[in-house]
Amino acid sequence: MNISTLVKKLTPRAIIGPANGEISALHYNSRQVVPGSTFFALRGVAADGHRFIDDALQRGAKAIVYETERPLPPQVTGILVDDARQALALASACYYDDPTKDMLVIGITGTNGKTTVSYLLETLLSSAGRRPAVIGTVNYRFEGQLLASTHTTPESLDLQELAARFHRAGADTLILEVSSHALEQRRVDGIAFDLGIFTNLTPEHLDYHGDLETYFQAKCRLFTGLGSRGPRQAIIDIDDSYGQRLAKQCQGLWSCGLSQEADVHPTVSDISLEGIKASIASPAGDFELCSALRGEFNLSNLLCASAAGLALGLAPAKVAEGLAEATAVPGRLEPVENALGALILVDYAHTADALDKALAAVTDLKPDRIITLFGCGGDRDRSKRPVMGEVAARHSALVVVTSDNPRTEDPGAIIDDIRLGLERVFKGQWSQQQAAEKGCGGYVVIVDRRAAIDFAVSQLGKGDLLLVAGKGHEDYQLIGNQRLHFDDREELRRALQEREGCHGA
C-alpha cells in the first residue's frame, strides 16, 4: 500500500512528512513492527499506544498514525487522525482488499445467544449450499481450518486478515459475533454487513461501559452507526425491551420472539428433555421446527436463526430442514455422559440473566434435585455477583460456590460478593458434611474449582441434575497473571471416573 492511498482512506486532520512511499505492513503492537511498516497508536483501557511510538520508530516504522501530534524523524510520515482505532479498521479493510465486500456478512450482537445463533446459522447456511466461515467466542473456523479464539471479535487488523484468509480458501459467507467492545472500539467499521441480528440485552460489561444505556448504545452501532457498511436487513428479538427500542430504528426489519406480535413466532411449542418442537408462523409461510437444543431461551435462539434464514430468501421448509441438523453447541447446556443416572450439563452462563435462563430450562426438565456450581470472574463488574448468587439459590437445592477466572482479584473477596445474594435465600453457609447430610436448602464454598467439581459429583444421585456454569467451552482458568489449562468437561469426566473407581473397589 502506498502512503497516499492510506491517506485517502483515512481523511486525516494533518499529514506531517512524506506524502508518498510504499509501506510493507500495518501494526498496532510496536513489538511486531518491521522496517517499512505503519504503526497505529491505539488508546486502550490498560495502555496508550502513543507511549510505544519510539519503540515502533526504533524498529523501522515508516509511518505513524496517531491522535496526538509529536515530533517524528523527517523521513517518517505522521498521519494525525481523530480516532486511531477507526483509522486502523478502515486501513485494514483497504490493505486486505476489502474481503467482505464480496461475501455475505451476518453480524450477531447481544448479551446472550450470539454463539448459539452463530452455530445454528452455520449449519443452516451450509445445508442450503453456502460455505460459511465463523468468527466468534469459541473459535474462528472455516471447513478444515480451525483457529483458537482470542476475543469474541478480534482487533480490526486481525479480523480483516481472517476474513481475507477464509475468503481465499473459498468462504462465501462470514458469520461474525460482534461484541459491544468491538463496536465501541470501531473494530468492525471496515466490515460490509448484509444482515444484523440482535438477541437481547441484560447487565454485563458494566465495568467497561459504565451503565446499561451506554452498553445498549454500543450494541446499536451495528445497526445505526456504520453508515453504508451497516446491514440492509435486521433481525431483532422483540421479547427484549431493548430489542423493541432498537426495532423502531432499523430498516429491513424481521422481528422475532415468543410474542405473537413478532413477524416470526411460535404458535405452539413443546420443550422437553429430548429438545424443542414448535409450529412457527412467519410472513414467508408456516413451518414445523424440531431441534435437539433444550430450553425456552434456545427457542428464542432458533427463532433468530429462522428469521435470518427467511430474510436471506430461504424457503420455510429449507429453514426447518437446516435447523433440524444443528447439534449441541460447545459449552451451552452441553451434556456430560455418566453412569449415575444423573444429568450433568456444562454451560457458559456467566451473567445473572443467562444463569436464570439456564436454570429455568433445567427446572423444566423436572429433575429430583438441582445442584448448581458456579463462580464469578475477577476484575470485572462486581454488581452482578450477588444477583447471580440469588438466582442460583432460588433455583437450586444445593449451590456449590467456587472460583471462575479470578484473574488478579482475591477469590475470597469475589465469593463474599456472591454470598450476599445467596443469603437472601439461604440462611447460611454449610460445611461439606452438612451439605452431604442435608442435601437441600443451602450452599457450600469450595474455592478450588477442581475440588468443587469433585464434591458436586460426589453428591449426585439418580435423577439429580448438576449444572456447572460460567466457563462452558473454555479450556483455561485465569489465576493471577497465569492462564492455566482447565476444562470443566474434562474435570467432570475425571471426577466421574474416580467416583466410579472408588465404588468399584
Short mmCIF file of all heavy atoms in Angstrom, two decimals, residues 26 36 53 67 107 111 131 148-149 159 181 184 210 229 287 320 351 374 378 388 419 448 458 481 483:
data_model
loop_
_atom_site.label_atom_id
_atom_site.label_comp_id
_atom_site.label_asym_id
_atom_site.label_seq_id
_atom_site.Cartn_x
_atom_site.Cartn_y
_atom_site.Cartn_z
N LEU A 26 0.88 -3.25 8.31
CA LEU A 26 0.20 -2.46 9.31
C LEU A 26 0.36 -3.16 10.66
O LEU A 26 0.25 -4.38 10.75
CB LEU A 26 -1.29 -2.32 8.99
CG LEU A 26 -1.69 -1.88 7.58
CD1 LEU A 26 -3.21 -1.80 7.48
CD2 LEU A 26 -1.06 -0.54 7.23
N GLY A 36 9.64 -0.41 7.38
CA GLY A 36 8.73 -0.08 6.27
C GLY A 36 7.26 -0.17 6.62
O GLY A 36 6.41 0.07 5.76
N ILE A 53 5.37 4.73 20.51
CA ILE A 53 5.78 5.26 19.20
C ILE A 53 7.30 5.19 19.05
O ILE A 53 7.81 4.80 17.98
CB ILE A 53 5.26 6.70 19.02
CG1 ILE A 53 3.74 6.67 18.82
CG2 ILE A 53 5.94 7.38 17.83
CD1 ILE A 53 3.09 8.04 18.73
N GLU A 67 -3.23 10.16 17.38
CA GLU A 67 -4.28 11.14 17.69
C GLU A 67 -3.69 12.40 18.31
O GLU A 67 -4.35 13.44 18.32
CB GLU A 67 -5.31 10.53 18.66
CG GLU A 67 -6.07 9.35 18.07
CD GLU A 67 -6.93 8.65 19.10
OE1 GLU A 67 -7.12 9.19 20.21
OE2 GLU A 67 -7.41 7.54 18.81
N GLY A 107 -23.79 -10.22 11.06
CA GLY A 107 -23.27 -9.84 12.36
C GLY A 107 -24.30 -10.12 13.45
O GLY A 107 -25.48 -9.77 13.30
N THR A 111 -26.29 -9.68 24.50
CA THR A 111 -25.57 -10.18 25.67
C THR A 111 -25.42 -11.68 25.61
O THR A 111 -24.33 -12.23 25.77
CB THR A 111 -26.30 -9.77 26.96
OG1 THR A 111 -26.52 -8.37 26.97
CG2 THR A 111 -25.49 -10.16 28.18
N ARG A 131 -21.04 -21.62 1.89
CA ARG A 131 -19.82 -22.03 2.56
C ARG A 131 -19.45 -20.97 3.61
O ARG A 131 -18.65 -20.08 3.36
CB ARG A 131 -18.69 -22.22 1.54
CG ARG A 131 -19.00 -23.26 0.47
CD ARG A 131 -17.83 -23.42 -0.48
NE ARG A 131 -16.66 -23.97 0.17
CZ ARG A 131 -15.44 -24.05 -0.40
NH1 ARG A 131 -15.27 -23.57 -1.62
NH2 ARG A 131 -14.43 -24.57 0.26
N ALA A 148 -7.74 -20.89 17.26
CA ALA A 148 -8.15 -20.54 18.62
C ALA A 148 -8.67 -19.11 18.66
O ALA A 148 -8.12 -18.22 18.00
CB ALA A 148 -6.98 -20.71 19.58
N SER A 149 -9.72 -18.91 19.43
CA SER A 149 -10.29 -17.57 19.60
C SER A 149 -9.56 -16.82 20.69
O SER A 149 -9.39 -17.32 21.79
CB SER A 149 -11.78 -17.69 19.94
OG SER A 149 -12.33 -16.43 20.25
N LEU A 159 -9.06 -9.13 12.27
CA LEU A 159 -10.36 -9.50 11.71
C LEU A 159 -10.34 -9.48 10.19
O LEU A 159 -10.81 -10.42 9.52
CB LEU A 159 -11.43 -8.53 12.24
CG LEU A 159 -12.86 -8.72 11.79
CD1 LEU A 159 -13.36 -10.12 12.09
CD2 LEU A 159 -13.75 -7.66 12.45
N HIS A 181 -17.64 -4.38 23.00
CA HIS A 181 -16.29 -3.80 22.99
C HIS A 181 -15.85 -3.52 21.55
O HIS A 181 -15.28 -2.47 21.26
CB HIS A 181 -15.29 -4.75 23.66
CG HIS A 181 -15.45 -4.88 25.14
ND1 HIS A 181 -16.49 -5.57 25.70
CD2 HIS A 181 -14.69 -4.43 26.17
CE1 HIS A 181 -16.38 -5.53 27.03
NE2 HIS A 181 -15.30 -4.84 27.34
N GLU A 184 -17.77 -0.49 20.23
CA GLU A 184 -17.29 0.73 20.86
C GLU A 184 -15.91 1.11 20.36
O GLU A 184 -15.58 2.29 20.16
CB GLU A 184 -17.26 0.53 22.38
CG GLU A 184 -16.84 1.75 23.17
CD GLU A 184 -17.92 2.82 23.23
OE1 GLU A 184 -19.12 2.50 23.03
OE2 GLU A 184 -17.56 3.98 23.47
N GLY A 210 -19.96 1.34 31.93
CA GLY A 210 -20.43 2.27 32.95
C GLY A 210 -21.88 2.10 33.34
O GLY A 210 -22.21 2.06 34.51
N ARG A 229 -21.77 0.82 5.54
CA ARG A 229 -21.28 -0.53 5.86
C ARG A 229 -22.24 -1.28 6.78
O ARG A 229 -22.04 -2.45 7.07
CB ARG A 229 -19.92 -0.43 6.54
CG ARG A 229 -18.84 0.15 5.62
CD ARG A 229 -17.78 -0.89 5.29
NE ARG A 229 -17.52 -0.96 3.88
CZ ARG A 229 -16.69 -1.83 3.32
NH1 ARG A 229 -16.02 -2.69 4.05
NH2 ARG A 229 -16.50 -1.85 2.03
N PHE A 287 -44.10 -23.23 9.31
CA PHE A 287 -43.31 -24.46 9.24
C PHE A 287 -43.18 -25.07 10.62
O PHE A 287 -43.42 -24.42 11.64
CB PHE A 287 -41.93 -24.21 8.61
CG PHE A 287 -41.07 -23.21 9.34
CD1 PHE A 287 -40.08 -23.63 10.22
CD2 PHE A 287 -41.22 -21.84 9.12
CE1 PHE A 287 -39.27 -22.71 10.87
CE2 PHE A 287 -40.41 -20.92 9.77
CZ PHE A 287 -39.44 -21.36 10.64
N ALA A 320 -36.46 -25.12 8.23
CA ALA A 320 -36.76 -26.21 9.16
C ALA A 320 -35.79 -27.36 9.00
O ALA A 320 -35.28 -27.92 10.00
CB ALA A 320 -38.20 -26.68 8.95
N THR A 351 -23.67 -14.51 33.33
CA THR A 351 -24.42 -13.32 33.74
C THR A 351 -25.65 -13.81 34.50
O THR A 351 -26.05 -14.98 34.39
CB THR A 351 -24.89 -12.49 32.54
OG1 THR A 351 -25.88 -13.23 31.80
CG2 THR A 351 -23.73 -12.14 31.62
N PHE A 374 -20.98 -22.72 40.43
CA PHE A 374 -20.60 -21.55 39.64
C PHE A 374 -19.71 -20.63 40.46
O PHE A 374 -19.57 -20.78 41.68
CB PHE A 374 -21.86 -20.77 39.18
CG PHE A 374 -22.39 -19.81 40.20
CD1 PHE A 374 -22.19 -18.44 40.07
CD2 PHE A 374 -23.08 -20.27 41.32
CE1 PHE A 374 -22.67 -17.55 41.02
CE2 PHE A 374 -23.57 -19.39 42.27
CZ PHE A 374 -23.36 -18.02 42.13
N GLY A 378 -13.04 -12.40 38.12
CA GLY A 378 -12.39 -11.30 38.82
C GLY A 378 -12.08 -10.14 37.90
O GLY A 378 -12.04 -10.29 36.67
N MET A 388 -26.30 -13.04 40.76
CA MET A 388 -26.09 -14.42 40.33
C MET A 388 -26.24 -15.38 41.51
O MET A 388 -26.78 -16.48 41.38
CB MET A 388 -24.73 -14.58 39.66
CG MET A 388 -24.64 -13.90 38.31
SD MET A 388 -23.04 -14.14 37.49
CE MET A 388 -23.10 -15.89 37.10
N ARG A 419 -21.95 -14.27 48.05
CA ARG A 419 -22.60 -14.72 49.27
C ARG A 419 -23.77 -13.78 49.66
O ARG A 419 -24.79 -14.22 50.21
CB ARG A 419 -21.57 -14.76 50.40
CG ARG A 419 -21.99 -15.59 51.60
CD ARG A 419 -21.03 -15.33 52.77
NE ARG A 419 -19.63 -15.40 52.39
CZ ARG A 419 -18.89 -16.50 52.49
NH1 ARG A 419 -19.42 -17.62 52.95
NH2 ARG A 419 -17.61 -16.48 52.15
N ASP A 448 -11.28 -23.83 45.34
CA ASP A 448 -10.60 -24.54 44.25
C ASP A 448 -11.65 -25.19 43.35
O ASP A 448 -12.44 -26.03 43.79
CB ASP A 448 -9.66 -25.60 44.83
CG ASP A 448 -8.92 -26.35 43.75
OD1 ASP A 448 -7.87 -25.87 43.30
OD2 ASP A 448 -9.42 -27.41 43.32
N SER A 458 -19.62 -35.97 43.82
CA SER A 458 -19.80 -36.92 44.93
C SER A 458 -21.21 -36.88 45.51
O SER A 458 -21.66 -37.84 46.13
CB SER A 458 -18.78 -36.64 46.04
OG SER A 458 -19.15 -35.49 46.80
N ASN A 481 -1.82 -13.67 36.93
CA ASN A 481 -1.47 -13.36 35.54
C ASN A 481 -1.19 -14.63 34.74
O ASN A 481 -0.62 -14.57 33.65
CB ASN A 481 -0.24 -12.44 35.51
CG ASN A 481 -0.56 -11.07 36.08
OD1 ASN A 481 -1.57 -10.47 35.74
ND2 ASN A 481 0.30 -10.56 36.96
N ARG A 483 -2.43 -18.18 32.79
CA ARG A 483 -3.50 -18.86 32.06
C ARG A 483 -3.22 -20.36 32.18
O ARG A 483 -2.30 -20.87 31.53
CB ARG A 483 -3.53 -18.41 30.60
CG ARG A 483 -4.64 -19.04 29.76
CD ARG A 483 -4.50 -18.58 28.32
NE ARG A 483 -5.43 -19.23 27.42
CZ ARG A 483 -6.42 -18.62 26.78
NH1 ARG A 483 -6.61 -17.33 26.94
NH2 ARG A 483 -7.21 -19.29 25.96
#
